[in-house]
């Protein structure tokens, strides 16, 4: 198994149609790629590509098209392919030449397809000419400078391959939260629907809302006598690319995107940043990727203990277990067991003496603690807080009344000012801030001072109209100013002074990454001192799974911001909510809060859908212990305007 979902899925046990439209389209695409890898005739390759694309864009039911024979009449489906697909959908059998094609293609070549920017044609060439047959072999060849001299390759493409290999390695290891959650929620929903499942719940880092997810952990409550049947039903769900191990109570799987009936939609990021980290290739890597999942089936009475154990974190578990030991109790995935009764018994045998717990809250109660919300279970003080009634009342999506850092068509956004305002109102917000890019950022179509001020006039007109009509909504007018050398802002002071606020952000990432922490920190401090700087945007510039941020001493930066706030000048730090960024990191939110630096959760939306990414920022803020009063988003327009 190459880890990028290159395999023919198993038929659904429920009968025809044995495969979904998605699965068949995917299989056709893979056949085309394999044929190309093996150097087949271009027309043959193209016929599979076309058929895949055609099926992918169908709105009709595939089962019906096959049953009525209409599939055979469709343009782009020849006679041979038509009867092959009829067999696939109607009988649940893949054509033997497809199976053979998969079996005869070296795994290493398929693995290489996962490298961004590298297609089957060039893989085939390198295989034939240099004998490169795996990612590792390619890396070695590129490092030994053997790829560049090949005809049609060159130094640049050799360097890109090395970057791509690096990227692939990162993707392999972990997936971003938005992607992990999308898989996790789809998997949880499918397993929940299986007959005999009392409850299925996602645990692990996904439940704790970590910014990246290693593997999914699903805990399933099932009466013992149904374990085997439910385990089999899980194994025949769509979206399972491979089974790494399966017993009656423990299943280890690899999921691929065929788990999604509705396709694959994840969070958003600036179009130019996406380009910088690989553009379409990067997105393709994401949508063609897989994720590992571990499933545990347990009797319903044990479920809360197993759920708590596999939610973790490991550090939180260790602290909890110590607390249990202090009370003469043994805490594990099977129960909370008095040592005196358990004696030498182990595992489930000891668990018959467990204290009862109907839910997780009961486990915490046995240990004289309040229930700790999963986001906080990182052993950073939550157990102490839970003991002393000191857990924070965490911010929620419902607390969000607006956000400041969003783009329109004036710079690189997809939607107009009007459309953005409408969508914000539909989200139930009472204000929205517009902060388009500044002139220096040419790749993002940074707006000139004139255009910016004109946008301000439009905004004032809207605000007046809403006020006259008694509509409880207003726009704020800001800018996302590049931070220029010397910590300077990207517009003259008199222009900035006409705005409601300025989000100052670093975009010349490679330059900042080439410098050391001291220089970078000094530049940021200077920029924060500018009277117009209101918000420090995406403070490290990191792209999760994409690139590291620049080095900076954020403790010093936050302290500096705190000094300003103490003297009555609003300096807020952004928690950029794009799931690609989640920057400010949640680990630093608590420090910002402790220093009294306000946080603003910003979707950095470049489209209408991008506004909804704020929910990922809320997840990170919760993980960082933030409460509604700690984030500017919770203020109504009156209170916010007063701060400005
Ligand atoms: P991940 O998958 O790397 O994103 O992170 P997690 O937290 O999901 O970790 P994972 O999948 O290895 O294990 C799930 C949970 O199971 C983990 O958060 C805590 C628990 N766990 C795993 N191994 C141990 C262990 O050795 N000791 C303790 N106390 N708990 C463990
Ligand atoms: Ca996990
Ligand atoms: Ca795991
Ligand atoms: Zn932005």
């Amino acid at each position: 198994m190459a880890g990028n979902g290159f395999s023919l899925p198993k038929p659904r046990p429920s009968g025809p149609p044995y495969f979904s439209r998605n699965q068949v389209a995917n299989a056709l695409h893979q056949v085309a790629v394999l044929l190309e890898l093996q150097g087949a005739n271009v027309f043959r390759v193209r016929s599979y590509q076309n058929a895949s694309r055609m099926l992918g864009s169908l709105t009709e039911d595939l089962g019906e098209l096959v049953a009525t024979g209409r599939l055979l009449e469709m343009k782009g489906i020849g006679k041979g392919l038509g009867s092959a697909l009829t067999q696939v959908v109607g009988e649940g059998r893949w054509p033997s030449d497809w199976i053979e094609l998969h079996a005869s293609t070296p795994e290493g070549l398929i693995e290489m397809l996962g490298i961004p920017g590298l297609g089957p044609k060039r893989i085939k060439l390198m295989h034939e000419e240099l004998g490169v047959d795996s990612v590792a072999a390619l890396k070695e060849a590129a490092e030994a400078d053997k790829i560049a001299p090949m005809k049609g390759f060159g130094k640049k493409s050799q360097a890109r391959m090395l970057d791509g290999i690096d990227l692939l390695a990162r993707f392999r290891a972990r997936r971003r939260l938005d992607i992990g959650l999308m898989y996790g929620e789809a998997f949880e929903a499918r397993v929940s629907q299986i007959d005999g499942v009392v409850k299925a719940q996602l645990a692990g880092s996904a439940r704790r809302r970590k910014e990246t997810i290693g593997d999914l952990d699903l805990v399933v409550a099932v009466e013992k006598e149904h374990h085997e049947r439910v385990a089999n039903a899980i194994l025949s769900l769509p979206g399972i690319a491979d089974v790494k191990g399966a017993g009656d109570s423990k299943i280890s799987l690899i999921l691929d995107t065929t788990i999604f009936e509705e396709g694959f939609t994840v969070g958003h990021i600036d179009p130019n940043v996406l380009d910088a980290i690989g553009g379409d290739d990067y997105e393709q890597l994401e949508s063609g990727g897989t994720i590992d999942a571990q499933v545990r089936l347990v009797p319903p009475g044990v479920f809360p203990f197993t759920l708590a154990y596999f939610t973790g974190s490991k550090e939180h578990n260790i602290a909890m277990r110590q607390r249990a030991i202090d009370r003469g109790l043994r805490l594990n995935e099977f129960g909370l067991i008095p040592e005196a009764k358990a004696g030498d018994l182990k595992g489930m045998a000891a668990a018959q003496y467990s204290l009862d717990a109907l839910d997780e809250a009961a486990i915490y109660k046995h240990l004289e603690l309040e229930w700790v919300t999963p986001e906080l279970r990182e052993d950073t003080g939550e157990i102490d807080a839970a003991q002393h009634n000191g857990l924070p009342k965490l911010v929620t999506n419902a607390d969000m009344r607006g956000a400041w850092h969003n783009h329109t068509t004036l710079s690189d956004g997809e939607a107009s000012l009007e459309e953005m305002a409408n969508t914000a109102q539909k989200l139930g917000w009472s204000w929205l801030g517009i902060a388009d890019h500044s002139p220096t950022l040419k790749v993002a179509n940074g707006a000139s001072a004139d255009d910016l001020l004109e946008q301000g006039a439009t905004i004032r007109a809207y605000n007046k109209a809403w006020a006259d009509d008694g509509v409880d909504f207003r726009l704020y007018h800001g800018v996302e100013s590049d931070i220029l050398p010397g910590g300077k802002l990207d517009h003259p002071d008199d222009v900035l002074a006409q705005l409601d606020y300025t989000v100052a952000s670093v975009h010349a990432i490679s330059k900042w990454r080439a410098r050391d922490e001291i220089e970078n920190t000094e530049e940021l401090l200077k920029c924060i001192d500018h009277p117009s700087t209101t918000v420090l945007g995406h403070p490290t510039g990191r792209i999760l799974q994409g690139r590291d941020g620049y080095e900076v001493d954020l403790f010093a930066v936050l302290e500096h911001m705190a000094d300003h706030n103490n003297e009555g000048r609003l300096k807020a730090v952004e928690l950029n909510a794009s799931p690609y960024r989640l920057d400010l990191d949640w680990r630093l939110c608590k420090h910002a809060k402790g220093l009294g630096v306000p946080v603003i959760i910003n979707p950095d939306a470049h489209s209408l859908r991008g506004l909804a990414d704020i929910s990922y920022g809320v997840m990170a803020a919760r993980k960082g212990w933030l409460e509604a009063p700690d984030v500017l988003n919770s203020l109504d327009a009156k209170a916010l305007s007063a701060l400005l």
Side-chain angles (χ1 to χ4, degrees), residues 410-411 434-441 445-456 477-485 487-499 501-505 527 530-533:
L410 185 66
S411 61
I434 298 297
D436 273 307
H437 289 289
S438 63
T440 296
L441 202 61
N445 190 30
S448 70
D450 284 350
D451 289 347
L452 181 66
L453 294 178
E454 195 185 313
Q455 184 186 49
H477 189 218
V479 69
E480 179 177 19
S481 168
D482 236 31
I483 300 179
L484 303 181
K488 293 203 170 59
L489 293 176
D490 198 11
H491 276 294
D493 291 354
D494 65 311
V495 171
L496 293 172
Q498 296 177 55
L499 305 174
Y501 63 92
T502 295
V503 177
S505 333
C527 177
H530 192 293
S532 286
T533 301

Side-chain angles (χ1 to χ4, degrees), residues 13 194 226-237 251 297:
I194 293 172
H226 301 314
H227 274 203
E228 194 183 336
R229 188 175 50 75
V230 169
N232 286 332
I234 291 174
L235 291 174
S236 58
L237 286 175
I251 306 172
L297 303 179

Side-chain angles (χ1 to χ4, degrees), residues 400-477:
M400 297 295 105
R401 291 170 185 239
W404 264 351
H405 178 178
N406 301 293
H407 300 269
T408 71
T409 46
L410 185 66
S411 61
D412 61 346
E414 279 175 19
S416 67
L417 187 64
E418 292 78 4
E419 292 169 318
M420 292 294 277
N422 276 334
T423 302
Q425 281 171 287
K426 282 194 196 124
L427 285 172
W429 292 1
S430 55
W431 49 271
L432 179 75
I434 298 297
D436 273 307
H437 289 289
S438 63
T440 296
L441 202 61
K442 294 213 171 57
V443 286
N445 190 30
S448 70
D450 284 350
D451 289 347
L452 181 66
L453 294 178
E454 195 185 313
Q455 184 186 49
T458 310
I459 284 176
R460 277 191 298 278
Y462 274 117
N463 284 343
K464 182 166 185 309
W466 283 316
D468 290 349
D469 294 348
V471 176
D472 178 27
F473 185 82
R474 66 157 292 180
L475 286 166
Y476 285 94
H477 189 218

Side-chain angles (χ1 to χ4, degrees), residues 532-555:
S532 286
T533 301
T534 333
V535 177
L536 176 62
H538 43 72
T540 72
R542 75 172 182 191
I543 304 297
L544 295 166
Q545 308 286 95
R547 69 174 184 218
D548 295 329
Y550 47 84
E551 286 184 37
V552 57
D553 180 357
L554 276 184
F555 290 98

Side-chain angles (χ1 to χ4, degrees), residues 308-368:
Y309 181 85
F310 286 106
T311 296
S313 63
K314 193 173 165 183
E315 292 73 18
H316 178 84
N317 286 355
I318 289 170
M320 289 286 283
R321 187 182 308 146
Q322 187 56 50
R323 211 175 153 84
I325 291 170
D326 295 344
R327 288 162 177 72
L329 298 165
R330 183 193 300 176
L331 177 62
N332 57 30
E333 65 263 52
F334 306 113
L336 182 59
I337 310 146
E339 279 296 348
K341 288 190 183 160
D344 291 338
L345 296 175
K346 295 249 179 316
M348 282 295 257
Q352 60 184 309
Y353 298 110
S354 174
L355 304 182
D356 285 336
L358 283 176
D359 53 20
E360 280 186 341
I363 304 173
Y364 283 88
K365 193 152 183 238
H366 284 308
L367 297 175
E368 294 159 271

